[in-house]
Amino acid sequence: MAFDLVCLGNPLLDLQVNVDKAYLDNYGLKENDAILAEEKHMPIFDEALARPDVRLIAGGAAQNTARGAQYILPANSVLYFGSVGKDKYADKLIEANKSVGLATAYMVQDEIATGKCAALINGTNRSLVTDLGAANHFKPSHLEKPENWEHVKNAKIFYVGGFHLTVSPDAIELLGKHAAEENKPFVLNFSAPFIPQFFKEPLERVLPYVDYVICNESEAAAFAEANGFDASDLVSVAKTVAKSAKVNGKRPRTVVFTQGTDPTLVVVYENGDFAVREYPVHALEASKVTDTNGAGDAFAAGFVAGLVRNKDLATSVDMGHWLAKLSIQEIGPSFPFPKQTY
Ligand code: 26A
């Protein structure tokens, strides 16, 4: 079977709970952030599981995007790579993927549990604390297995979560090189401020393969700070990213900065010129927002689904806004049923 879109990321099960600011303060967590759990954060997972309101929801940023894109696209359009354990958590992920028809080619770890993310919801903010578990053991050799490489060769577009830079930059580079050689679009999401901040070298290594960069305003600011340039002017940050080194000269670099409810900024660098545009999001009354966990992933999903459908940039961004609006009305990184169509 040939899948148009191939995605790579860290499959996680989200343990979603509502917490107050004091709970976040106690663990030194920001209200809106995503981090890798340190030893001191480990009790959070058992505390979440012990809460009566805990929800176990399929997560993992790129997996959410893969599900969202498959939600929009015709059957058998999307395949997702990642690493899971052999446990009930993985069964939950498989069930959620099945609900939208997302195909997976998981690498399975016999001895390591599926990764989990405590999604600590505080009003319209979400603080994500992740214990990668099995997701941390993904290897490029999994992509190189003949049956999997066949999927890579058949793919038309690639989407990779920047979060995976903490796991296997080699796997990302492998896909990036293939995409550049074959002139296929390669999309990377910066995923969280700590990626440009603490994974600067691996990000620098894969960025030249990227045709489309997607990130939010705080990730853009973190990128600017990590590279020592002014973070206050997002347009100039986007231009710097757009102009940075690129392997595939046949495609322009497109940089997409989401900004919550503010308009999405898009900068394209082509033939020595910048095109700068802004697109407003789809309005939604605050009272209709259930939670914002997965909003950015849903945006990316709608956007890449637009690319798969060969839509223009404005339409692809609009599809991202449309799907994000649907997702923030659901619990966690989920999509409404019966299915809605764009
Ligand atoms: C490496 N880290 C920290 C992560 C993640 C992650 N997905 C992959 N790697 N930390 C949080 N997430 C996921 O982000 C989604 C919201 O955008 C969560 O699982 C959540 O579903």
Side-chain angles (χ1 to χ4, degrees), residues 10 12 14 34-36 58-61 64 117 126 128 130 132 163 166 194 293-294 297 333:
N10 309 325
L12 306 173
D14 287 359
I35 63 159
L36 286 167
N64 299 337
C117 170
R126 91 284 181 271
L128 308 171
T130 293
L132 278 170
F163 278 133
T166 71
F194 85 85
N293 181 20
D297 305 334

PDB file of all heavy atoms in Angstrom, residues 10 12 14 34-36 58-61 64 117 126 128 130 132 163 166 194 293-294 297 333, ligand 1:
ATOM      1  N   ASN A  10       7.235  10.560  18.478  1.00  0.00           N
ATOM      2  CA  ASN A  10       7.264   9.799  19.723  1.00  0.00           C
ATOM      3  C   ASN A  10       5.843   9.448  20.147  1.00  0.00           C
ATOM      4  O   ASN A  10       5.118  10.332  20.597  1.00  0.00           O
ATOM      5  CB  ASN A  10       7.917  10.623  20.837  1.00  0.00           C
ATOM      6  CG  ASN A  10       9.252  11.200  20.434  1.00  0.00           C
ATOM      7  OD1 ASN A  10       9.995  10.565  19.695  1.00  0.00           O
ATOM      8  ND2 ASN A  10       9.561  12.400  20.910  1.00  0.00           N
ATOM      9  N   LEU A  12       2.988   8.609  22.433  1.00  0.00           N
ATOM     10  CA  LEU A  12       2.799   8.718  23.886  1.00  0.00           C
ATOM     11  C   LEU A  12       1.333   8.578  24.224  1.00  0.00           C
ATOM     12  O   LEU A  12       0.471   8.919  23.417  1.00  0.00           O
ATOM     13  CB  LEU A  12       3.256  10.101  24.379  1.00  0.00           C
ATOM     14  CG  LEU A  12       4.669  10.561  24.033  1.00  0.00           C
ATOM     15  CD1 LEU A  12       4.861  12.024  24.456  1.00  0.00           C
ATOM     16  CD2 LEU A  12       5.705   9.670  24.720  1.00  0.00           C
ATOM     17  N   ASP A  14      -1.353  10.205  26.662  1.00  0.00           N
ATOM     18  CA  ASP A  14      -1.524  11.373  27.530  1.00  0.00           C
ATOM     19  C   ASP A  14      -2.358  11.010  28.749  1.00  0.00           C
ATOM     20  O   ASP A  14      -3.432  10.399  28.616  1.00  0.00           O
ATOM     21  CB  ASP A  14      -2.214  12.512  26.768  1.00  0.00           C
ATOM     22  CG  ASP A  14      -1.302  13.194  25.755  1.00  0.00           C
ATOM     23  OD1 ASP A  14      -0.126  12.783  25.654  1.00  0.00           O
ATOM     24  OD2 ASP A  14      -1.769  14.127  25.083  1.00  0.00           O
ATOM     25  N   ALA A  34       6.279  22.358  27.431  1.00  0.00           N
ATOM     26  CA  ALA A  34       6.418  20.915  27.239  1.00  0.00           C
ATOM     27  C   ALA A  34       7.852  20.576  27.596  1.00  0.00           C
ATOM     28  O   ALA A  34       8.770  21.219  27.078  1.00  0.00           O
ATOM     29  CB  ALA A  34       6.116  20.528  25.794  1.00  0.00           C
ATOM     30  N   ILE A  35       8.041  19.629  28.500  1.00  0.00           N
ATOM     31  CA  ILE A  35       9.407  19.284  28.929  1.00  0.00           C
ATOM     32  C   ILE A  35       9.570  17.771  29.025  1.00  0.00           C
ATOM     33  O   ILE A  35       8.587  17.024  29.043  1.00  0.00           O
ATOM     34  CB  ILE A  35       9.750  19.904  30.310  1.00  0.00           C
ATOM     35  CG1 ILE A  35       8.823  19.353  31.417  1.00  0.00           C
ATOM     36  CG2 ILE A  35       9.693  21.425  30.266  1.00  0.00           C
ATOM     37  CD1 ILE A  35       9.383  19.507  32.794  1.00  0.00           C
ATOM     38  N   LEU A  36      10.826  17.352  29.084  1.00  0.00           N
ATOM     39  CA  LEU A  36      11.137  15.961  29.394  1.00  0.00           C
ATOM     40  C   LEU A  36      11.164  15.844  30.914  1.00  0.00           C
ATOM     41  O   LEU A  36      11.761  16.685  31.589  1.00  0.00           O
ATOM     42  CB  LEU A  36      12.511  15.592  28.839  1.00  0.00           C
ATOM     43  CG  LEU A  36      12.605  15.403  27.327  1.00  0.00           C
ATOM     44  CD1 LEU A  36      14.067  15.355  26.892  1.00  0.00           C
ATOM     45  CD2 LEU A  36      11.889  14.125  26.896  1.00  0.00           C
ATOM     46  N   ALA A  58      -4.898   9.268  23.521  1.00  0.00           N
ATOM     47  CA  ALA A  58      -3.759   9.115  22.606  1.00  0.00           C
ATOM     48  C   ALA A  58      -3.092  10.465  22.401  1.00  0.00           C
ATOM     49  O   ALA A  58      -3.761  11.462  22.167  1.00  0.00           O
ATOM     50  CB  ALA A  58      -4.225   8.555  21.270  1.00  0.00           C
ATOM     51  N   GLY A  59      -1.750  10.487  22.543  1.00  0.00           N
ATOM     52  CA  GLY A  59      -1.001  11.723  22.363  1.00  0.00           C
ATOM     53  C   GLY A  59       0.256  11.467  21.555  1.00  0.00           C
ATOM     54  O   GLY A  59       0.289  10.580  20.705  1.00  0.00           O
ATOM     55  N   GLY A  60       1.293  12.209  21.878  1.00  0.00           N
ATOM     56  CA  GLY A  60       2.512  12.184  21.054  1.00  0.00           C
ATOM     57  C   GLY A  60       2.251  13.168  19.939  1.00  0.00           C
ATOM     58  O   GLY A  60       1.338  12.970  19.117  1.00  0.00           O
ATOM     59  N   ALA A  61       3.006  14.266  19.918  1.00  0.00           N
ATOM     60  CA  ALA A  61       2.644  15.390  19.065  1.00  0.00           C
ATOM     61  C   ALA A  61       2.490  15.006  17.585  1.00  0.00           C
ATOM     62  O   ALA A  61       1.476  15.325  16.965  1.00  0.00           O
ATOM     63  CB  ALA A  61       3.664  16.512  19.244  1.00  0.00           C
ATOM     64  N   ASN A  64      -0.467  12.851  16.918  1.00  0.00           N
ATOM     65  CA  ASN A  64      -1.707  13.635  16.873  1.00  0.00           C
ATOM     66  C   ASN A  64      -1.886  14.261  15.489  1.00  0.00           C
ATOM     67  O   ASN A  64      -2.991  14.285  14.942  1.00  0.00           O
ATOM     68  CB  ASN A  64      -1.682  14.754  17.917  1.00  0.00           C
ATOM     69  CG  ASN A  64      -1.567  14.233  19.341  1.00  0.00           C
ATOM     70  OD1 ASN A  64      -1.926  13.087  19.607  1.00  0.00           O
ATOM     71  ND2 ASN A  64      -1.061  15.060  20.240  1.00  0.00           N
ATOM     72  N   CYS A 117       2.719  11.010  28.752  1.00  0.00           N
ATOM     73  CA  CYS A 117       2.834  12.455  28.924  1.00  0.00           C
ATOM     74  C   CYS A 117       1.747  12.903  29.894  1.00  0.00           C
ATOM     75  O   CYS A 117       0.568  12.656  29.652  1.00  0.00           O
ATOM     76  CB  CYS A 117       2.654  13.154  27.574  1.00  0.00           C
ATOM     77  SG  CYS A 117       2.489  14.943  27.706  1.00  0.00           S
ATOM     78  N   ARG A 126      -1.709  24.499  28.962  1.00  0.00           N
ATOM     79  CA  ARG A 126      -1.377  23.110  29.226  1.00  0.00           C
ATOM     80  C   ARG A 126       0.122  22.965  29.428  1.00  0.00           C
ATOM     81  O   ARG A 126       0.917  23.503  28.688  1.00  0.00           O
ATOM     82  CB  ARG A 126      -1.910  22.173  28.130  1.00  0.00           C
ATOM     83  CG  ARG A 126      -0.990  21.886  26.964  1.00  0.00           C
ATOM     84  CD  ARG A 126      -0.898  23.038  25.981  1.00  0.00           C
ATOM     85  NE  ARG A 126      -0.031  22.758  24.856  1.00  0.00           N
ATOM     86  CZ  ARG A 126       1.284  22.997  24.820  1.00  0.00           C
ATOM     87  NH1 ARG A 126       1.894  23.528  25.835  1.00  0.00           N
ATOM     88  NH2 ARG A 126       1.994  22.694  23.745  1.00  0.00           N
ATOM     89  N   LEU A 128       3.030  20.141  29.702  1.00  0.00           N
ATOM     90  CA  LEU A 128       3.203  18.741  29.309  1.00  0.00           C
ATOM     91  C   LEU A 128       4.518  18.208  29.860  1.00  0.00           C
ATOM     92  O   LEU A 128       5.576  18.795  29.631  1.00  0.00           O
ATOM     93  CB  LEU A 128       3.193  18.616  27.784  1.00  0.00           C
ATOM     94  CG  LEU A 128       2.001  19.261  27.071  1.00  0.00           C
ATOM     95  CD1 LEU A 128       2.210  19.272  25.559  1.00  0.00           C
ATOM     96  CD2 LEU A 128       0.713  18.518  27.407  1.00  0.00           C
ATOM     97  N   THR A 130       6.819  14.775  29.999  1.00  0.00           N
ATOM     98  CA  THR A 130       6.887  13.506  29.267  1.00  0.00           C
ATOM     99  C   THR A 130       7.967  12.563  29.767  1.00  0.00           C
ATOM    100  O   THR A 130       9.109  12.965  29.975  1.00  0.00           O
ATOM    101  CB  THR A 130       7.127  13.805  27.768  1.00  0.00           C
ATOM    102  OG1 THR A 130       5.965  14.441  27.257  1.00  0.00           O
ATOM    103  CG2 THR A 130       7.386  12.540  26.972  1.00  0.00           C
ATOM    104  N   LEU A 132       9.515   9.503  28.105  1.00  0.00           N
ATOM    105  CA  LEU A 132       9.486   8.945  26.751  1.00  0.00           C
ATOM    106  C   LEU A 132       9.394   7.422  26.694  1.00  0.00           C
ATOM    107  O   LEU A 132       8.847   6.864  25.730  1.00  0.00           O
ATOM    108  CB  LEU A 132      10.715   9.399  25.962  1.00  0.00           C
ATOM    109  CG  LEU A 132      10.636  10.788  25.327  1.00  0.00           C
ATOM    110  CD1 LEU A 132      12.004  11.187  24.798  1.00  0.00           C
ATOM    111  CD2 LEU A 132       9.609  10.818  24.206  1.00  0.00           C
ATOM    112  N   PHE A 163      10.184  17.196  18.422  1.00  0.00           N
ATOM    113  CA  PHE A 163      10.395  16.415  19.649  1.00  0.00           C
ATOM    114  C   PHE A 163      11.268  15.189  19.389  1.00  0.00           C
ATOM    115  O   PHE A 163      11.955  14.711  20.287  1.00  0.00           O
ATOM    116  CB  PHE A 163       9.055  15.923  20.199  1.00  0.00           C
ATOM    117  CG  PHE A 163       8.288  16.923  21.025  1.00  0.00           C
ATOM    118  CD1 PHE A 163       6.928  17.126  20.797  1.00  0.00           C
ATOM    119  CD2 PHE A 163       8.884  17.616  22.064  1.00  0.00           C
ATOM    120  CE1 PHE A 163       6.189  18.004  21.582  1.00  0.00           C
ATOM    121  CE2 PHE A 163       8.149  18.503  22.857  1.00  0.00           C
ATOM    122  CZ  PHE A 163       6.804  18.693  22.614  1.00  0.00           C
ATOM    123  N   THR A 166      15.121  14.699  20.137  1.00  0.00           N
ATOM    124  CA  THR A 166      15.650  14.190  21.413  1.00  0.00           C
ATOM    125  C   THR A 166      15.904  12.687  21.334  1.00  0.00           C
ATOM    126  O   THR A 166      16.488  12.114  22.244  1.00  0.00           O
ATOM    127  CB  THR A 166      14.680  14.459  22.585  1.00  0.00           C
ATOM    128  OG1 THR A 166      13.535  13.600  22.458  1.00  0.00           O
ATOM    129  CG2 THR A 166      14.192  15.892  22.620  1.00  0.00           C
ATOM    130  N   PHE A 194      12.122  24.068  24.305  1.00  0.00           N
ATOM    131  CA  PHE A 194      13.375  23.413  24.701  1.00  0.00           C
ATOM    132  C   PHE A 194      14.097  22.752  23.531  1.00  0.00           C
ATOM    133  O   PHE A 194      15.297  22.451  23.631  1.00  0.00           O
ATOM    134  CB  PHE A 194      13.144  22.418  25.863  1.00  0.00           C
ATOM    135  CG  PHE A 194      12.700  21.033  25.471  1.00  0.00           C
ATOM    136  CD1 PHE A 194      13.621  20.056  25.110  1.00  0.00           C
ATOM    137  CD2 PHE A 194      11.352  20.691  25.476  1.00  0.00           C
ATOM    138  CE1 PHE A 194      13.221  18.774  24.763  1.00  0.00           C
ATOM    139  CE2 PHE A 194      10.941  19.416  25.139  1.00  0.00           C
ATOM    140  CZ  PHE A 194      11.880  18.456  24.776  1.00  0.00           C
ATOM    141  N   ASN A 293      -4.791  21.300  24.652  1.00  0.00           N
ATOM    142  CA  ASN A 293      -3.809  20.233  24.449  1.00  0.00           C
ATOM    143  C   ASN A 293      -3.964  19.690  23.029  1.00  0.00           C
ATOM    144  O   ASN A 293      -5.015  19.170  22.668  1.00  0.00           O
ATOM    145  CB  ASN A 293      -4.025  19.115  25.477  1.00  0.00           C
ATOM    146  CG  ASN A 293      -3.019  17.982  25.320  1.00  0.00           C
ATOM    147  OD1 ASN A 293      -1.959  18.154  24.721  1.00  0.00           O
ATOM    148  ND2 ASN A 293      -3.356  16.815  25.867  1.00  0.00           N
ATOM    149  N   GLY A 294      -2.916  19.834  22.212  1.00  0.00           N
ATOM    150  CA  GLY A 294      -2.958  19.313  20.842  1.00  0.00           C
ATOM    151  C   GLY A 294      -3.430  20.323  19.811  1.00  0.00           C
ATOM    152  O   GLY A 294      -3.540  19.985  18.624  1.00  0.00           O
ATOM    153  N   ASP A 297      -0.794  20.726  17.152  1.00  0.00           N
ATOM    154  CA  ASP A 297      -0.684  19.505  16.333  1.00  0.00           C
ATOM    155  C   ASP A 297      -1.830  19.445  15.325  1.00  0.00           C
ATOM    156  O   ASP A 297      -1.649  19.014  14.183  1.00  0.00           O
ATOM    157  CB  ASP A 297      -0.745  18.242  17.212  1.00  0.00           C
ATOM    158  CG  ASP A 297       0.305  18.262  18.300  1.00  0.00           C
ATOM    159  OD1 ASP A 297       1.341  18.916  18.103  1.00  0.00           O
ATOM    160  OD2 ASP A 297       0.076  17.623  19.355  1.00  0.00           O
ATOM    161  N   PRO A 333      -5.947  15.934  22.414  1.00  0.00           N
ATOM    162  CA  PRO A 333      -5.669  16.024  20.978  1.00  0.00           C
ATOM    163  C   PRO A 333      -6.592  15.100  20.179  1.00  0.00           C
ATOM    164  O   PRO A 333      -6.152  14.121  19.585  1.00  0.00           O
ATOM    165  CB  PRO A 333      -4.209  15.569  20.863  1.00  0.00           C
ATOM    166  CG  PRO A 333      -3.810  15.083  22.202  1.00  0.00           C
ATOM    167  CD  PRO A 333      -4.945  15.156  23.139  1.00  0.00           C
TER     168      PRO A 333
HETATM  169  C1  26A B   1      10.008  14.563  23.716  1.00  0.00           C
HETATM  170  N1  26A B   1       8.755  15.117  24.194  1.00  0.00           N
HETATM  171  C2  26A B   1       8.826  15.939  25.364  1.00  0.00           C
HETATM  172  C3  26A B   1       7.562  14.861  23.528  1.00  0.00           C
HETATM  173  C4  26A B   1       6.311  15.360  23.941  1.00  0.00           C
HETATM  174  C5  26A B   1       5.195  15.089  23.130  1.00  0.00           C
HETATM  175  N2  26A B   1       5.275  14.373  21.998  1.00  0.00           N
HETATM  176  C6  26A B   1       6.487  13.907  21.656  1.00  0.00           C
HETATM  177  N3  26A B   1       7.604  14.118  22.393  1.00  0.00           N
HETATM  178  N4  26A B   1       5.881  16.097  25.001  1.00  0.00           N
HETATM  179  C7  26A B   1       4.558  16.282  24.841  1.00  0.00           C
HETATM  180  N5  26A B   1       4.137  15.665  23.724  1.00  0.00           N
HETATM  181  C8  26A B   1       2.785  15.585  23.166  1.00  0.00           C
HETATM  182  O1  26A B   1       2.397  16.846  22.749  1.00  0.00           O
HETATM  183  C9  26A B   1       0.999  16.745  22.551  1.00  0.00           C
HETATM  184  C10 26A B   1       0.383  18.112  22.536  1.00  0.00           C
HETATM  185  O2  26A B   1       0.896  18.879  21.502  1.00  0.00           O
HETATM  186  C11 26A B   1       1.735  15.141  24.163  1.00  0.00           C
HETATM  187  O3  26A B   1       1.635  13.739  24.179  1.00  0.00           O
HETATM  188  C12 26A B   1       0.476  15.830  23.640  1.00  0.00           C
HETATM  189  O4  26A B   1      -0.442  14.915  23.077  1.00  0.00           O
END
